Amino acid sequence: MTSCYIGRFAPSPSGPLHFGSVIAALGSFLQARSRGGQWLVRMEDIDIPRVQPGAADDILRTLEKLHLFWDGEVFYQSRGNAAYREAEALLESRQLLYPCACTRRDIQGQRYSGHCRNGLPPGKAGRSVRIKTTSEPVSFADRVQGVQWQNLQNETGDFIIRRADNITAYHLAVVVDDAWQGVTEIVRGNDLMDSTPRQIYLQELLGYPTPDYCHLPVAVNPDGRKISKQNHAPGVRTHSPSRVLHNALQFLGQGPDPALRDASIETVIDWGIKNWDLEKVPRLETIMFADDHRATATQV
């Protein structure tokens, strides 16, 4: 065990804490606590248009009801603008950034072609700010999903650092926050796997250390849709927190005793910390979570 371990859970306050988020929260919590480390909570509220009033407080109350208690103060991403601008200025000083006039309609969800990389088209004004990527592969060894690599130039293209609405983009904000908070390992859902190479690329450019990564399977409905706020997933029922955590432990392959479903919440948390084994987490991208609240380890 090491006291140098720092993990984090970073929800977006755009809705209640649903079962998919509980999986990420519990997995990161147990990974930290089983190693005698710190577990931080960061509220990723920088995307102001998507923030729902009261959602942040609701998420924190739900974590408390599940006895997922964090260390220190909750960090709110919306308060970190100065640090994000400093990081952007450093990238700008290295001539790695450029203004882009393209809209989402122009790109249509495809890889960015670099249309504005060598200058804005005549009569066009810059909307967002993009960073130049290279064809050098970015690779990392995920502790759950195995070795991953991505050629950013071919697969994502130059990506956005500051949005058209002048909000710092997620990738830059999360990289700055993880470095500032000293995060040593990131345990989160596999739906963010594709973002990791871009974040590692920024870490390298900014001179930040790269933490270890563990991407957990994502919970999906029987119809294959991710359990998420975007898909209007309901908040977890906190009147039976032990059952919620038991379901999450089962989902994560930990094999909890069925008796824990009706045990005290303290007993469930204690069992989870003592028995947590990352090697037991299914090496799957997604796992179906049935309507009767039983996880079925079947890749979708």
Side-chain angles (χ1 to χ4, degrees):
M1 300 210 316
T2 174
S3 59
C4 296
Y5 182 100
I6 300 178
R8 52 82 158 171
F9 175 57
S12 170
S14 55
L17 196 73
H18 53 75
F19 183 71
S21 296
V22 169
I23 292 165
L26 181 63
S28 60
F29 174 87
L30 294 178
Q31 181 72 350
R33 292 294 185 245
S34 66
R35 299 186 60 178
Q38 297 181 58
W39 188 65
L40 311 178
V41 170
R42 176 195 310 151
M43 204 59 64
E44 296 197 334
D45 61 344
I46 195 170
D47 192 352
I48 301 298
R50 294 183 62 239
V51 172
Q52 288 189 8
D57 289 341
D58 181 71
I59 288 171
L60 296 177
R61 285 195 299 268
T62 301
L63 291 174
E64 290 174 335
K65 289 177 181 178
L66 295 173
H67 280 219
L68 301 179
F69 300 120
W70 55 90
D71 295 301
E73 295 185 4
V74 175
F75 176 73
Y76 289 82
Q77 204 172 55
S78 58
R79 302 172 186 172
N81 284 317
Y84 307 148
R85 289 292 191 257
E86 287 180 11
E88 184 179 331
L90 176 59
L91 296 171
E92 175 67 31
S93 70
R94 297 178 59 188
Q95 300 183 329
L96 293 169
L97 306 182
Y98 63 90
C100 177
C102 299
T103 66
R104 288 186 179 182
R105 180 178 296 180
D106 295 330
I107 300 171
Q108 297 182 342
Q110 303 299 312
R111 178 188 70 84
Y112 182 67
S113 64
H115 184 67
C116 300
R117 192 180 228 217
N118 296 317
L120 293 170
K124 295 286 188 177
R127 302 176 74 254
S128 60
V129 175
R130 292 184 181 270
I131 186 165
K132 298 175 182 178
T133 56
T134 71
S135 59
E136 184 71 23
V138 177
S139 63
F140 65 101
D142 189 85
R143 297 192 62 195
V144 175
Q145 305 293 343
V147 175
Q148 309 289 322
W149 71 276
Q150 190 177 86
N151 182 319
L152 294 179
Q153 196 168 85
N154 292 343
E155 296 184 44
T156 69
D158 299 343
F159 56 95
I160 291 176
I161 290 299
R162 179 155 38 90
R163 301 178 353 181
D165 57 7
N166 206 37
I167 292 177
T168 299
Y170 164 75
H171 294 300
L172 180 60
V174 73
V175 162
V176 172
D177 293 340
D178 285 333
W180 180 76
Q181 292 187 294
V183 173
T184 60
E185 185 172 60
I186 296 172
V187 181
R188 59 187 182 186
N190 190 63
D191 53 328
L192 290 169
M193 176 73 83
D194 187 60
S195 298
T196 304
R198 279 170 280 183
Q199 293 166 14
I200 291 175
Y201 179 66
L202 287 173
Q203 289 160 1
E204 292 173 348
L205 290 177
L206 292 166
Y208 298 159
T210 294
D212 292 328
Y213 286 92
C214 308
H215 285 86
L216 307 174
V218 171
V220 297
N221 294 316
D223 62 4
R225 292 186 306 134
K226 183 179 73 169
I227 296 176
S228 67
K229 298 183 182 77
Q230 291 89 340
N231 291 326
H232 310 291
V236 293
R237 297 190 293 270
T238 54
H239 64 271
S240 54
S242 294
R243 297 196 173 203
V244 172
L245 293 181
H246 181 276
N247 290 339
L249 286 167
Q250 182 181 355
F251 182 97
L252 290 167
Q254 301 304 298
D257 190 319
L260 288 174
R261 287 172 60 85
D262 298 310
S264 69
I265 187 69
E266 293 86 358
T267 299
V268 179
I269 289 293
D270 185 62
W271 186 94
I273 294 172
K274 291 179 179 178
N275 293 276
W276 174 250
D277 185 354
L278 192 65
E279 295 299 316
K280 291 182 178 180
V281 175
R283 269 54 179 169
L284 300 173
E285 295 180 2
T286 59
I287 296 177
M288 184 177 72
F289 187 66
D291 290 339
D292 61 0
H293 305 291
R294 288 180 292 123
T296 305
T298 303
Q299 187 169 16
V300 177

